[in-house]
Amino acid sequence: MGRIVHKVVKMILLVGFIYNTTALKAQDEQKLNHRNGIEISTGFSYLIYQSGYGFKGSQGVEVLVSKLLGNNYKAETGFRTTLSPFLPEVFVRGVVYNNFERWQPAIGLETGITKRTDFESSSNLLKESREAMLKDIGYLYLSTHVEVLSFNLKRKLNISLLEFDIGTHYKHFGRTLRAQTTLIRIRKTF
């Protein structure tokens, strides 16, 4: 499974690099009226963790603050949590994006600290093996971030649907798969 995650991450990074070089050429001449602005967004997401011996799904909410760094770059930091029980997550993300009229696709890398990797099971089947594989996952993770269905509704209002993040933890890289879908995000620029 680690090789699959590694190949997917390499492919997404390559596509992001190609996308970035063409996007920079296309937008060199455009000026952003809100370039020095801050974006604040909130979203609802669903996260799945999978390992050879465990599976866990959880839904949650997130709040995100973004700072535009250039015509096609922004840095983001945010906080996610599940609703019940409280399992927090703090992350930072670098994003490359492009504007095609109202459509604003983006791709980036995210890293963070999470407490959402708690694999609980009431089954005694392979209990010792499962506990040995899942007890030492670590808290730090790395994932890619893709926004394909992101649209500017007004000059300073954006909606994004079905964002996708895929990654794993740094410790024992590839042992776990982290897949998250942000179902809806509303973003406002100030």
Side-chain angles (χ1 to χ4, degrees):
M1 179 164 30
R3 283 189 263 161
I4 293 170
V5 170
H6 183 71
K7 287 181 181 180
V8 168
V9 169
K10 277 174 69 174
M11 184 174 61
I12 290 174
L13 288 174
L14 178 63
V15 168
F17 176 75
I18 293 168
Y19 169 79
N20 180 30
T21 56
T22 58
L24 286 176
K25 276 189 160 182
Q27 293 221 346
D28 272 345
E29 312 226 347
Q30 288 184 347
K31 298 281 185 184
L32 294 175
N33 293 333
H34 55 282
R35 182 176 178 155
N36 294 324
I38 301 284
E39 293 178 344
I40 297 178
S41 66
T42 185
F44 179 77
S45 62
Y46 191 78
L47 175 67
I48 295 173
Y49 266 109
Q50 184 174 358
S51 177
Y53 291 97
F55 179 85
K56 178 167 180 148
S58 62
Q59 56 191 1
V61 294
E62 67 181 56
V63 176
L64 188 71
V65 177
S66 305
K67 174 69 174 147
L68 300 174
L69 302 176
N71 285 339
N72 298 93
Y73 303 103
K74 61 182 166 180
E76 302 178 330
T77 185
F79 175 79
R80 286 187 199 103
T81 185
T82 55
L83 302 176
S84 178
F86 180 74
L87 298 173
E89 188 168 271
V90 178
F91 61 94
V92 294
R93 182 188 300 155
V95 176
V96 177
Y97 65 94
N98 200 350
N99 287 311
F100 301 100
E101 297 295 324
R102 292 196 181 271
W103 182 41
Q104 185 180 331
I107 189 168
L109 284 176
E110 176 181 312
T111 187
I113 301 171
T114 186
K115 185 67 174 152
R116 293 173 74 177
T117 56
D118 185 23
F119 291 99
E120 296 174 3
S121 177
S122 58
S123 172
N124 287 331
L125 183 64
L126 299 171
K127 183 177 181 178
E128 290 177 9
S129 297
R130 184 176 59 247
E131 288 177 355
M133 290 291 285
L134 300 176
K135 72 177 182 179
D136 193 21
I137 294 172
Y139 296 107
L140 299 174
Y141 70 89
L142 174 69
S143 68
T144 59
H145 175 77
V146 179
E147 295 178 35
V148 177
L149 300 175
S150 180
F151 301 96
N152 294 319
L153 300 177
K154 294 184 179 179
R155 190 172 133 228
K156 294 186 177 187
L157 186 64
N158 178 284
I159 187 168
S160 184
L161 305 168
L162 300 175
E163 296 176 9
F164 189 70
D165 296 72
I166 188 166
T168 187
H169 282 248
Y170 287 108
K171 195 169 192 177
H172 307 293
F173 199 81
R175 182 185 284 181
T176 57
L177 171 68
R178 173 190 169 88
Q180 176 176 292
T181 299
T182 302
L183 302 173
I184 185 168
R185 175 189 312 285
I186 304 293
R187 191 178 277 125
K188 173 81 172 139
T189 303
F190 295 93

